[in-house]
Structures are given as structure tokens and as C-alpha cells.
Amino acid sequence: MANKEIPYKIYLSECEIPKQWYNVRADMKNKPAPLLNPGTLQPMTAEELSVVFCDELVKQELDNDNRYIDIPEEIQNFYKMYRPSPLVRAYCLEKKLQTPAKIYYKFEGNNTSGSHKLNSAIAQAYYAKKQGLKGVTTETGAGQWGTALSMACSYFDIDCKVYMVKVSYEQKPFRREVMRTYGASVTPSPSMTTEVGKKILSLHPNTTGSLGCAISEAVEVATTTEGYRYVLGSVLNQVLLHQSIIGLETKAALDKYGIKPDIIIGCAGGGSNLGGLISPFMGEKLRGEADYRFIAVEPASCPSFTRGKFAYDFCDTGMVCPLSKMYTLGSGFIPSANHAGGLRYHGMSSTLSQLYADGLMEATSVEQTAVFEAAELFARVEGILPAPESSHAIRVAIDEAVKCKEAGEEKTILFGLTGTGYFDMVAYEKFNNGEMTDYIPTDADLQVGFDGIPKFPGNMV
Amino acid sequence: MANKEIPYKIYLSECEIPKQWYNVRADMKNKPAPLLNPGTLQPMTAEELSVVFCDELVKQELDNDNRYIDIPEEIQNFYKMYRPSPLVRAYCLEKKLQTPAKIYYKFEGNNTSGSHKLNSAIAQAYYAKKQGLKGVTTETGAGQWGTALSMACSYFDIDCKVYMVKVSYEQKPFRREVMRTYGASVTPSPSMTTEVGKKILSLHPNTTGSLGCAISEAVEVATTTEGYRYVLGSVLNQVLLHQSIIGLETKAALDKYGIKPDIIIGCAGGGSNLGGLISPFMGEKLRGEADYRFIAVEPASCPSFTRGKFAYDFCDTGMVCPLSKMYTLGSGFIPSANHAGGLRYHGMSSTLSQLYADGLMEATSVEQTAVFEAAELFARVEGILPAPESSHAIRVAIDEAVKCKEAGEEKTILFGLTGTGYFDMVAYEKFNNGEMTDYIPTDADLQVGFDGIPKFPGNMV
């Protein structure tokens, strides 16, 4: 098998799309810490969570035991419309770098939402539909998650209310229009449609909004409107579970050709793409069946893993959500306006946080200009214009491939190419014009966020 | 074979990518009329054409005899980066329409240029490189062709100078930035970098430019700069030849499952996508081996086939290019500003024009609002946000499928989905806001263009 010629793109056939998600928590010795009720500091119960989230998703959120969870047939059918996604051998990049390393990437951008987000959006919309709900609410920043969710809701014919950070709503109208084309209602946040929105607007009439505020509005609408629930596109255990489809397909494709990666690299914002890509490989590592190096890549301007604290913190800036134990910069941390694209989240998936704390995974941070240099190089030789988020992983993959060249090592590098950059041309324009700069927060800058992490006995601040 | 379950997407393997293009002209009894030198009214010679175009492309342009032309290995390798493209069974659309028809579409949008244009751009860039040229020049309107060419030139490391219609340069900066990311120089046209540009600007200092003007500038730079040639993204025979890869892959995929389409539908601007999709099927029809209905779909606002004249006319508004015999609205025809997207060309491929004149193909025109209604429906059920151009084909495919439902006929419909609409959200926004309108030129409106068609003995005006 190992001697077969490797094509540019390894596609699985449709019948090879995984029929179960893989739940890495089942193989973890140290389970991720439970979500806490911020009032009682007790673990959130299924009942408490069900006010906000769909019942089946709550079950998945709390399930640390079942290793495999069946993917309902309706979701499998939707997956067939844009999956399996290709696993690409980066022949042209290897040639350009003159590296003996073999580079592969799993490309999740070939769908209209432009990213991996659709993998979880369709699952969440399905369970909402199955529960007989009328619709779901969510927040979106630049609009990647909102787009994915509006596509999913359109497919299952349920309503989708998106609260979009006002500055993005106005300055990035294109994703807004994609969402509207899919029938979603898109409201600039803060808005007069919620109590929390009215309150914020009365205090700050000229605010351009924030993700934290949009979350608060979306949660309020979900919990006060009959037949609605709130859905979230990253961070949560359930989202990592759905995203395991990325890693499962990758592993199946590699296995076909007898390929074993040495290094697996993913960008990390809330952690859903990284968690999804690495989970089946991490499972092997946890069970002692194989070893891999895993590298999480985050922006130097929002360094949750590399400079954050492992503590219980709010998932949202508005402090209405449960507490999650994670690497965090503090829920009050505001990333620099200088920073392009996503990966701006102050916290991190609690599952990935536990794995990192246990030394099973590495993390590194990269600066913005270096990221766009990697993006441009990649676009030119591999033909795909990558999302700024994905380009963090490209940067480190290139750096590792160059190290291989210097050391004369023939390693196999795998990274996740989460999406395309078609809606990020404002950032590319800045780079093309030589106007992009880097920003690295000082310890004092970070202290502001850390001061907001809740202080209670046992919280490691 | 015919009983195998048809997957959502039929992918060929990489080794099944065609290794030769198919030249439909070889099977035509009535060959397309030759390009004429507007000065002498004699057929353009290879020598005359070689001043403007690369030598090998001139050979392909004039070749009416060779049925198959080898695809050079370097181009095959590039094709492997984004081809084979999927042939999709539109199960969800069929279900939505409750039609007994079986609908397939060949999707060419899964590459960064977002359309089929890359198929010819890479070939043209390759032959320029092989000829030892330094670079190529071209014009672009909204930027689809310019993007594809800049990707191709980046891959072969030759220079790419794009003249972009000024109004698009300013109002659609995103495609401009994609081109710049791929290293192309992008100049708003008219510009002070050419004699023709200076002349136009002195006469019309506030002009926002036109495609005709941009062509004139690009041709001037190509013919006056050492080591440069001009390249064009549609209309020409050579472009149809390269685009035959679309039809060849489609036919190979259908043959695998024993599927024979009854109706084949494509949108038509200059004709490259339509010509590429239908060519191997048309070859069978020309050789008497099979029969198919072919339908060209054009916008009602720019109806070259359905309301144009079959005559010799200039390919460009500036009247510097050779005369081509084609269905034309007159090289002075200016499409309504109301019309969104491409398909604004006044003329049509001379090969397709001959086939249409010989009754081998049908043509129909559709109105803009109906096109966007089809686009929205398609996006919601099939998940892909289509380009406005491609949506013309979707409109007619849906109409034919509905006719099948009414007649209880189980026909097989194939259409070309040429690209994605990610850079066309301004038009979608207009549609979402209910502000889109239709425009159908009156006969008097069209007469303005017809008056400009050259009058000489034998020209059928």
C-alpha cells in the first residue's frame, strides 16, 4: 500500500464518509472539567443547559463516556453534498520549499460557507428540527459561523436569527447578504430587539458592538421566545464532536495509502477545527497505539494557550454563560483591532485545554505579517487563497518543513486548511499594500483581561 | 452499469482526467468562418495573428482539422490541483421540484478563481512561458478572467498585466486584491500607461471605462512591449478547445454510470463554458452517433443568439481586433447598467454561432429577476451559492424539469454550473432587498448596435 503513487488529492468515496462521530473525551484519562453554574458554582445539569441548548446537544455536551456517536442519516445526506472533503498532497509547496518533508492538508473550504463550520451547523440545525423547534438564534462576527448556520437552517426549513456585530454588519455586507440569501434574519448588534441590547444602547449609543454583546442578545431571544434555542459554533464539546468528521476522514484517507503523519497542525481560536482534526489521532495517542506531535497555532495578538491561564472563566464577555475551565485571557480581553480574521476568542475548548495541560499537545503563536506571507506563498503555489485563520497553520507547517530541509529529515506533516479567504480581501489588501503590522500584547495589556477572571476557591488565577 | 446507485457527486480519479482536448471543429461539416483582417477583408494569417497571440495558440485557433490535441504534461499537472471537478446529481433540487426528471450539473467553481476560466488561463500562460515570453496582458471586467489568469501566470512565474475597467476597479476591489495577491499588476482602464488610454482620457476625462477600452489598452501593451502577448478568456476557438475538458470529464463520468443526458444546458456570454461543456456531445451528434438537445441561455438584456444578426463584426468595441462571423448585437452595443454579472458580450463564439445557424443547437433568453429566483432556490436546496452567470442555466434547467413534471416525463437534464457568486453579493443584495428589475431592449434599442456592424459585400446585415 505504502508504495502506491499518491495523487494530488485523496478523495474518499461517498460510502466511506464516517457514519459515527468520535468522542475523544471517552479516551481521556483526565476528562475536561464540567461547565459550572456561575451562581452556585456547581456543575451545570442537563436540565439547566436545556433552557438554552437543544436536548440532544446537551446530551452530547455532557457525554464523556461514549466513544462513538451515530451520525443521523439526515445529516449524513447533507454531508454528501459537500463531503468528503479532499486531503491534498501539497506537491507544489514541497517543491517550492525544496523540502524532503511530505506535506498534506485537509481542505474544508469547498462549500458556500467557506469553512469547516458547516459540519457542526448542520448537526445543530438537525437536532433543533428533530426537537420540533421553530428556530435557533446565534451570534456571528465576520459571519463565517452565521453563514454556515443559515445554510443548515435553510436545508431543514427552520428559522435562523443571527445577531451580527454591528461593525461587521456595516463594513462586511457580503456575508450578511449570503445569510439573507439563505433566508436568515440578520440583526446588527446591539439592537433594540432585546432588553440587553436596549440597555447597552442606552449606555453606549454609539457602540459598534462586540461578540460578547451579540451572544447576550442571541441567548436572550432563545430563552424568551417559544420554540427557540441558542446554538454556538465553537468551544463546546458537542462542536468538537461534530468536527471529528474532519479527522476521521483524514485518517481514513491516509490509511488508504499507508501514511502516518509525524506532526499534525491546526489553527486554534475556540478550538473546533483543531479538535476535530486531531481527535482520532489523539485517541490513538491516548490509548497508547501511536504517537504524534500535535501543534495548536494561535495569533500572537490573542495567545490563549501560550500566555493564558488555565482557570474557570465565563465563555462570553457579557458573563451570562456558564463557567468553563479553559486556557483563557479573561472574558474581558478585547483583541487588538489590528488583528485580521477570526481566532479572536479569549478562551479555548475545555477538552483541548485539558489535553494541553496534560502535555499531550503543543501550542505556539505566530505574528500576523508572517501569517500573511505564508498565505500569499501558499496561494501562489497551491492555487487556493486561504482564510487568514487557516494561514496560521500554514505558517507553522512551512516552518516545520523548512526545519526538515535543514535537518535533512523526511517527516510527514499534516495540517488543517479550514477555509478560504474570499471574504477577507480587506486584510489581504492591507498586506498587499505593505500596511500590515504586528501586535503583541505586553504582560500589562494581558493583565486587564486576567483581572476579570472570576475569583473563587480552587480557581487557579 | 445503469443500475448502480448514483452518488451525490461523481468524481473521476486523477488518472482519468482527459489527456487530450477535443476540437469540435474537426467534426463540423460547416466550419466556423475564419477571422478577417478588417483592412483587407482577407482571412487573418498565422503570421498576422502571431503579433498579438502566442504562436502555439494561433495554431490552435486556426486548426479546423485535428480532432484531438494533446494536453501538455505541465498543464495536466496544474489541472490535478483543482480537477477533476465534480459532476453532481441534484437530488435535493429534484426533490424540491417534485420532478421525475434527473438533474445533473458539472460544477466548475471549486477553485480560487471561482469559475471555469482557469481551464484556459493555465493553457494560455503555459504556451506563453514555453515561447519564452516575459508575460501576457489582458483585460477584465468584474475580474473573473483576470483572477484566473493571474493564478496561472503566478504558477508559471511569468508577468501578468491586467487592465481592469475603472468602475470595477473602484467598486469591486476584492477581485482586484485577489489578482494582486497572485502577483499581477492591475491598472484601472482607461489609464495614462497607453497611447489609446491617454487619448480616451483627454476626450473623456471622467469616463469610468469599458471592456472595449480595456481590450484596446491590453492589446497595445502586448504589441508594443518586447516579450509580451495578449490573451483572451472567451469567444476564441482556442478557448473553446481548452474548455472541452469540462465536457470530456462530464461525459466520462456519465459513461461510468451508463447515463445519457437528453438536454444539455449552458449559459452563454462569449460561449467558452457552453462550448466546452457541449463539445464532446455535439461531436457525437455531428458524427450521427447520438442525439441531444442543446440549449444556450443568455440574458434577455444582451440577447446575441436570440435577437442578434449572424454577420462579420469586430470582437471589441474599440474596433482594433479582427472581424469574426458570429451572432452579434453590434460591437457598439452597450448592455444595460441594470444587468448584473457577466454575459454582457455583444457577440458570440464563431464556432457556436455556426452550430446555431445550422440548427444543431437551440437558444433562449431569460430575465434577470427570474434568474435570481432560480439562484436563491438552488442555493437553498443544493448548498452552493451560484454565480449570476451560471444561474441563467439553472433557470432553464428548473423550467425544463418542471415541464417534465407536468408531462410526466423522466428526462435527464445536464447543465453547467460555471462558478460561485461570492464576489457578486452586491447583485444578491439588490435581489434580497426586492430592488432588482428586468430590462428587455426594444428593437429600436438594438438598432443602435446593429448600425455599427461593418457593411461590406457579403456581410449579412
Side-chain angles (χ1 to χ4, degrees), chain A residues 160-240:
Chain A
C160 178
K161 294 187 195 299
V162 180
Y163 284 83
M164 187 170 187
V165 177
K166 191 184 271 175
V167 62
S168 296
Y169 182 91
E170 286 164 1
Q171 291 182 1
K172 299 181 180 175
F174 288 178
R175 277 214 197 264
R176 175 188 82 205
E177 292 305 323
V178 179
M179 289 184 258
R180 290 182 69 206
T181 300
Y182 280 92
S185 74
V186 188
T187 307
S189 167
S191 75
M192 295 298 282
T193 65
T194 64
E195 292 309 314
V196 62
K198 284 178 202 165
K199 195 171 151 192
I200 292 168
L201 282 172
S202 72
L203 292 170
H204 312 284
N206 297 318
T207 178
T208 55
S210 72
L211 210 51
C213 167
I215 293 179
S216 305
E217 289 204 83
V219 171
E220 180 185 319
V221 173
T223 51
T224 57
T225 314
E226 179 67 30
Y228 280 76
R229 290 293 185 283
Y230 168 72
V231 296
L232 184 64
S234 188
V235 185
L236 296 175
N237 291 329
Q238 53 179 280
V239 181
L240 260 71

Side-chain angles (χ1 to χ4, degrees), chain A residues 59-95:
Chain A
K59 226 160 92 183
Q60 293 178 359
E61 189 64 31
L62 298 176
D63 183 349
N64 286 343
D65 303 313
N66 289 298
R67 188 176 281 162
Y68 290 101
I69 290 170
D70 288 343
I71 304 175
E73 205 185 322
E74 291 87 342
I75 299 175
Q76 286 185 40
N77 283 341
F78 187 87
Y79 279 164
K80 285 179 189 166
M81 288 169 64
Y82 71 102
R83 309 200 66 84
S85 69
L87 178 71
V88 187
R89 172 74 183 267
Y91 280 118
C92 297
L93 181 60
E94 291 171 17
K95 196 176 152 196

Side-chain angles (χ1 to χ4, degrees), chain A residues 299-317:
Chain A
S301 58
C302 190
S304 319
F305 269 134
T306 49
R307 297 177 66 196
K309 295 189 192 293
F310 190 39
Y312 266 109
D313 193 11
F314 287 97
C315 295
D316 64 319
T317 319

